[in-house]
Amino acid sequence: MSWYEIITIVIGMAFGGYLVLWSIPGVIMSAMVSLGSIERILFIDKQLAKNLSKYYDDRGYMRWKYQMSYSIGTRLFGYWLLYPFIKHRATTTSKKFKLFMWVNCIGVWSFFISPCFSLLVKWLGVIS
């Protein structure tokens, strides 16, 4: 077995293991934000949204179609997926917020990276 096959297996297993470990807490965190207090998504929107007026009216109330739990959950997963590219928008210095976003960002990206590395290992012929 060559060095690139070993590296491919290790990276795939690391992301796969993280995906397994993150799945249940990720679902719980998603449910807490989308089904819980509106204050959580309000804070995340203020930190990461490109255009707040899309989600909130002039008085600061969330527009009705963005109040639905599926809309909040979809927006949250979008923030998790895009966090490495939009983290510069955040104005908070909270380490807890940054940790929350990075933990979930890596979890969401694991859904894409794990299957890619599994296919790569299969393609390299390491596993028959």
Side-chain angles (χ1 to χ4, degrees), residues 1-10 117-128:
M1 194 177 311
S2 63
W3 64 270
Y4 62 88
E5 293 173 337
I6 294 170
I7 291 174
T8 306
I9 291 171
V10 168
F117 274 91
S118 296
L119 289 172
L120 183 60
V121 166
K122 181 82 170 164
W123 180 71
L124 289 173
V126 177
I127 301 173
S128 353

Side-chain angles (χ1 to χ4, degrees), residues 30 33-35 41 68-80:
S30 173
V33 172
S34 61
L35 299 172
I41 194 64
M68 301 297 190
S69 62
Y70 64 84
S71 178
I72 292 171
T74 302
R75 200 159 67 240
L76 179 65
F77 272 91
Y79 289 144
W80 287 348

